[in-house]
Amino acid sequence: MKFLHLGDLHLGKSLGEFDLIEDQKYILNQVLDIIDNNSVDAVLIAGDVYDKSIPSEAATRLLDYFLNHLAAKHVKVFMISGNHDSDDRLNYGSTLFESNQIYISAVYNGQLDKHVIMDGEEKFNIYLLPFVKASQVKHFYPEAGIETYEDAVKTIIDNSEIDENENNILVAHQFVAGKGEDPECGGSEGAGTQNVGLVEKIGYDIFDKFDYVALGHIHSPQKVGREEVRYSGSPLKYSLSEVNNDKSVPIVNIEKKEVTVDSISLKPMRNMRHIIGKIEDLLNKENVTAQEDFIYATLKNEEIINDAMGIFQQIYPNTVKIDYDNSHTREIEQVDISQIAQNRSFTELISDFYSLMYKCDISDEEMEMMRMAAREAGVIDETN
C-alpha cells in the first residue's frame, strides 16, 4: 500500500504583507498530481493544517477544496491536529467526513485513535495521535508519573494494544529527536522548541512498535534516528531559516512490514531567496532574476538607503524584508546590551544607539518622535 505523507500545511499563512493562499493552492494541486502519478492509496497529514487557531475563510475553503479532490479520487485521508490548530475547529464535521474515508483526530480523548484498512488480505493499522502536552495525558493517567512529553507519549503507546506482527503506521505531531542529536529545525517551530530543553523532546526509539511514523512539527524534511521515522517538512518555505530547504513529499510503500520511502520534489509557484550585497549590485539588470520570488535582502551598503523597500519592490514586488550587514551592524552585534542599559535613561540609550548607527547626534525632533513611540508601546511612561 502506498501512502503520501504531508505535514505543516499552515493554510492561511502570510509572509509579511503577502498572502500565500494562491501559493498554497498551487502546491496542493501539485500534490494532487503526484498522487495521481504514483497511484497513492492514502494521505497522512501530520498536523498544523492551519496556521492559526482561528483560520481565515480562505484557509478553510482551501482545505475543503483539497479534501474534496482527495475524496473524488477515492484516496483515504488520515489527519491530526498540530499545535497551531484549534482542536474543535479541525474536528468539526469529522463524523460526516468518515463517510468519504476522511479520518480526523483533533482531540486526544485518553486513547490512541486507530483505523484499520485492508489491501487484499493484508491489514494496515493507522494510529492517529494529535498534538498532546504532558498535562493532557496526565489527566487520563494520573498514576503514571508523567512529567515530560516523552513520558506522556510513552504512556499512550504502552496503554495501546499494538500487534507488532501487523503493519502499524503512526501519525503524530511532536518534537522527536535522534540519539544525541536534534532534528534540523526550520520555521517558527525551531527556536520555540529548542528553548524548552528536554521537556518537549521525545526519543525516536519509543516508536519502535511502528513500521512508519509520519511526523509533523519541524519544517525541514528529514529522517529521525531511522529511515521510517520521518518529518515530511512543510510543503512551502515559510521563513528565512528555510530558504535553503529543498521541499519534497515522501511516498511510503509498505508491504508485509517492508518499508521503502521515495521523496518527490515540490516546485513552488514563487521561490523564497535571500540575496546579499550592495543595493546597486543586487538591482543591476545583469543580476536580477525571477522577479516574482519572495525576497529577503541583506544590504552591504555602509549608509542607510532611504526608502530601500520601495526601491526594491519596484524590481522585486514580493520583497518581504530588508536588513543590513555593515560595519555599524557588526559593531552593534559586539555590544553587551545588558551592560549598556544598566542605570541609563531612555534618552541616553536612544542617543547612543543613534550615534552608533549614523555617526551623528539625534535631533530634538527625532528624539521626541522616539519618546512618543515608546510611550504608545508602553516602554516608558509620561514621567520618564
Side-chain angles (χ1 to χ4, degrees):
M1 178 165 281
K2 280 188 180 179
F3 300 87
L4 184 141
H5 172 191
L6 285 172
D8 299 276
L9 302 180
H10 287 278
L11 301 181
K13 188 173 180 61
S14 58
L15 281 179
E17 64 185 51
F18 303 107
D19 189 336
L20 294 179
I21 282 291
E22 287 304 313
D23 299 79
Q24 292 176 327
K25 185 173 183 179
Y26 180 92
I27 212 71
L28 290 180
N29 280 331
Q30 199 170 129
V31 170
L32 292 170
D33 289 339
I34 290 171
I35 288 168
D36 286 340
N37 295 336
N38 291 272
S39 302
V40 168
D41 300 297
V43 173
L44 313 173
I45 305 178
D48 279 0
V49 178
Y50 293 123
D51 188 57
K52 294 180 174 61
S53 58
I54 302 178
S56 65
E57 182 181 347
T60 57
R61 283 202 308 268
L62 183 54
L63 180 62
D64 180 68
Y65 168 87
F66 186 53
L67 294 179
N68 268 291
H69 276 71
L70 292 173
K73 296 175 186 295
H74 305 289
V75 173
K76 301 173 182 64
V77 179
F78 300 90
M79 181 166 67
I80 63 168
S81 62
N83 55 303
H84 278 248
D85 297 309
S86 163
D87 298 349
D88 293 335
R89 282 181 170 82
L90 197 63
N91 208 46
Y92 181 77
S94 58
T95 303
L96 179 62
F97 289 147
E98 288 192 11
S99 62
N100 285 309
Q101 300 186 95
I102 298 171
Y103 305 96
I104 302 172
S105 181
V107 183
Y108 177 66
N109 60 8
Q111 60 184 6
L112 195 56
D113 197 7
K114 175 183 176 182
H115 298 276
V116 178
I117 55 178
M118 301 296 297
D119 183 17
E121 296 183 356
E122 194 167 5
K123 182 180 179 183
F124 294 84
N125 303 313
I126 315 294
Y127 294 89
L128 303 180
L129 178 61
F131 177 74
V132 291
K133 298 179 180 179
S135 58
Q136 291 174 278
V137 183
K138 201 170 186 176
H139 172 76
F140 294 99
Y141 300 97
E143 306 301 322
I146 296 170
E147 299 296 335
T148 66
Y149 282 44
E150 179 166 306
D151 294 338
V153 174
K154 187 175 187 304
T155 298
I156 292 171
I157 294 172
D158 288 346
N159 285 276
S160 303
E161 295 182 2
I162 300 170
D163 186 346
E164 294 186 59
N165 294 313
E166 297 176 347
N167 298 297
N168 298 307
I169 298 99
L170 175 69
V171 187
H173 189 96
Q174 304 287 160
F175 183 69
V176 179
K179 291 182 179 179
E181 61 181 17
D182 290 340
E184 178 188 340
C185 294
S188 60
E189 312 307 344
T193 309
Q194 295 281 30
N195 290 338
V196 299
L198 299 175
V199 177
E200 288 192 14
K201 195 180 297 183
I202 297 170
Y204 77 94
D205 50 346
I206 72 168
F207 301 117
D208 284 349
K209 292 182 180 180
F210 300 97
D211 300 292
Y212 185 79
V213 182
L215 293 172
H217 195 46
I218 302 299
H219 290 187
S220 301
Q222 61 198 285
K223 67 174 184 179
V224 182
R226 61 182 170 101
E227 290 289 339
E228 300 82 13
V229 180
R230 183 171 291 273
Y231 285 106
S232 65
S234 58
L236 291 173
K237 300 175 183 181
Y238 287 136
S239 72
L240 181 57
S241 63
E242 300 173 65
V243 71
N244 294 319
N245 282 176
D246 293 322
K247 298 299 182 179
S248 60
V249 287
I251 300 287
V252 185
N253 189 66
I254 305 178
E255 185 176 1
K256 297 179 180 177
K257 297 184 69 65
E258 290 294 323
V259 180
T260 57
V261 181
D262 293 313
S263 291
I264 298 181
S265 295
L266 295 172
K267 301 299 180 185
M269 182 171 76
R270 295 176 284 190
N271 196 14
M272 178 190 292
R273 292 189 287 135
H274 185 198
I275 58 176
I276 303 171
K278 290 187 175 182
I279 190 169
E280 55 269 28
D281 295 328
L282 297 179
L283 299 184
N284 186 303
K285 288 183 179 180
E286 294 181 358
N287 299 324
V288 172
T289 60
Q291 291 175 251
E292 294 302 313
D293 283 354
F294 294 109
I295 298 296
Y296 286 76
T298 297
L299 302 184
K300 292 282 191 177
N301 300 72
E302 286 296 314
E303 71 283 359
I304 301 300
I305 307 299
N306 185 40
D307 193 25
M309 180 62 80
I311 295 170
F312 249 86
Q313 288 187 340
Q314 290 181 25
I315 307 299
Y316 291 108
N318 299 312
T319 300
V320 179
K321 183 180 179 181
I322 294 175
D323 60 16
Y324 286 83
D325 178 16
N326 55 33
S327 61
H328 306 312
T329 60
R330 288 191 290 274
E331 188 175 350
I332 291 171
E333 289 173 359
Q334 300 302 315
V335 173
D336 186 341
I337 300 298
S338 64
Q339 293 299 316
I340 288 180
Q342 196 169 28
N343 299 320
R344 311 199 69 194
S345 69
F346 176 82
T347 300
E348 290 171 328
L349 289 171
I350 293 299
S351 295
D352 284 354
F353 176 80
Y354 192 96
S355 177
L356 192 60
M357 282 295 296
Y358 300 108
K359 303 301 180 185
C360 63
D361 294 333
I362 189 169
S363 70
D364 291 342
E365 183 182 1
E366 289 169 325
M367 177 59 77
E368 183 52 37
M369 290 174 64
M370 294 297 294
R371 292 182 65 82
M372 185 184 303
R375 283 194 293 269
E376 291 179 358
V379 175
I380 61 174
D381 58 39
E382 293 293 334
T383 60
N384 197 335

